[in-house]
Amino acid sequence: MSEREEKLARSLTAETTELIPHLPYLLQDLWELGSSPEDMIALALEHTNISRESKVLDLGCGKGAVSIGLAKSIGCKVKGIDILSQFIDYAKEKAMEYGVQHLCQFVVDDINESVRVEQGYDFVILGAVGDVLGNPLTTLLKLKSTIKQGGFIFLDDAYANEGSDNPYPSRGDWLQYFNEADLAVIAEKPIDDDELIAINRRQQEQIVQRARELMRKYPEKKEMFQGYISSQQAECDELESGLTGVTWLLQKTA
């Protein structure tokens, strides 16, 4: 079991790396895996000079919902990278469906390797993938290395609510990390509580259905799939109580 596999499993709320081969089946009904394309498009149009000439890097792009949304709405060129080949295959199919295959390049790779070689982008996106790139400050510095001076970072993550005993970074902690990384906060969009609850419940119902199908097919793995359902529900409960989901738009200032 590699550290990379462990981080991948955690990013998709899997308690064991043995679940990784089953994740494409479990998540087959979900196109948007954590990040809202609409929110990122709105933030980009309102607060940046994004255009057809812009180059965007989408790290941990999942099934390509954000990449394709940006390409379709703005006409910019996007490179999406994810380690799951099934997700990349799906993203390529959706790009064809939306008529933006000439604007979107989707690649299978470990984003820990990608951040070492990808450079010169106007925008980089890291949407709801947790600590795959390391701790918060390390993650920010790696993202920063992929963009031009004055370039932008979209970071979809969360912060611990005031008074919460959750060990996750608080909003103040995040602001300190941004300062240490020489990143200016251009915009911040917390997720609406009612919207979050509705999304979580709909997605959990779909995941539970697929997990039960896998339990029937692989009865010897029933406990593993039940554990995945429980961990998904626990994450939903945490986001609905102790944490606030947020999308930050940051700019490289130095």
Side-chain angles (χ1 to χ4, degrees):
M1 178 192 311
S2 69
E3 182 181 0
R4 183 184 74 177
E5 288 174 326
E6 290 177 351
K7 288 183 176 181
L8 170 63
R10 287 201 305 271
S11 75
L12 292 167
T13 328
E15 294 181 332
T16 170
T17 56
E18 292 179 25
L19 194 66
I20 291 175
H22 300 288
L23 286 172
Y25 189 93
L26 288 162
L27 302 173
Q28 65 182 282
D29 303 299
L30 283 58
W31 186 26
E32 298 177 12
L33 298 175
S35 300
S36 166
E38 293 78 15
D39 286 350
M40 291 197 181
I41 292 166
L43 287 170
L45 289 173
E46 183 175 353
H47 298 284
T48 78
N49 59 351
I50 194 168
S51 69
R52 290 176 177 271
E53 284 70 46
S54 299
K55 290 176 55 183
V56 182
L57 178 64
D58 189 355
L59 295 170
C61 67
K63 299 181 183 181
V66 172
S67 294
I68 291 167
L70 284 167
K72 184 68 176 176
S73 299
I74 298 165
C76 53
K77 292 184 178 179
V78 186
K79 183 174 184 177
I81 301 173
D82 200 277
I83 200 167
L84 287 177
S85 61
Q86 296 95 329
F87 285 179
I88 291 298
D89 289 342
Y90 188 91
K92 290 177 179 178
E93 291 175 6
K94 296 298 282 188
M96 291 280 290
E97 178 184 331
Y98 279 77
V100 292
Q101 66 274 13
H102 60 296
L103 297 173
C104 296
Q105 179 187 8
F106 290 109
V107 177
V108 179
D109 199 4
D110 177 359
I111 63 172
N112 283 282
E113 300 301 322
S114 301
V115 292
R116 298 177 182 178
V117 296
E118 298 289 348
Q119 296 180 345
Y121 288 87
D122 301 293
F123 295 82
V124 62
I125 298 166
L126 188 71
V129 300
D131 65 350
V132 170
L133 292 178
N135 64 42
L137 182 56
T138 297
T139 295
L140 292 169
L141 292 175
K142 288 180 178 179
L143 295 175
K144 183 179 170 184
S145 71
T146 68
I147 55 176
K148 301 174 182 176
Q149 183 65 23
F152 296 91
I153 297 172
F154 281 108
L155 179 66
D156 187 331
D157 213 294
Y159 55 79
N161 296 331
E162 189 173 348
S164 168
D165 58 1
N166 193 298
Y168 212 76
S170 67
R171 182 175 178 277
D173 292 333
W174 277 110
L175 294 178
Q176 180 61 33
Y177 296 138
F178 299 152
N179 184 61
E180 291 177 26
D182 290 316
L183 294 167
V185 179
I186 303 302
E188 174 182 348
K189 189 180 188 307
I191 300 175
D192 177 78
D193 289 342
D194 291 338
E195 178 185 358
L196 177 65
I197 291 171
I199 292 172
N200 282 345
R201 289 179 179 173
R202 181 175 68 253
Q203 293 186 346
Q204 184 69 354
E205 287 175 2
Q206 294 168 323
I207 289 170
V208 168
Q209 177 185 335
R210 296 303 182 182
R212 287 174 176 165
E213 292 170 2
L214 287 174
M215 288 179 204
R216 291 192 289 271
K217 186 174 182 180
Y218 304 102
E220 73 279 7
K221 298 181 179 181
K222 182 177 180 180
E223 186 176 337
M224 180 177 71
F225 296 126
Q226 286 178 328
Y228 183 66
I229 292 173
S230 298
S231 62
Q232 280 281 318
Q233 188 59 57
E235 182 183 54
C236 290
D237 293 343
E238 187 175 48
L239 276 170
E240 292 172 14
S241 56
L243 296 177
T244 295
V246 61
T247 299
W248 275 294
L249 175 63
L250 312 169
Q251 188 170 26
K252 180 177 180 178
T253 57

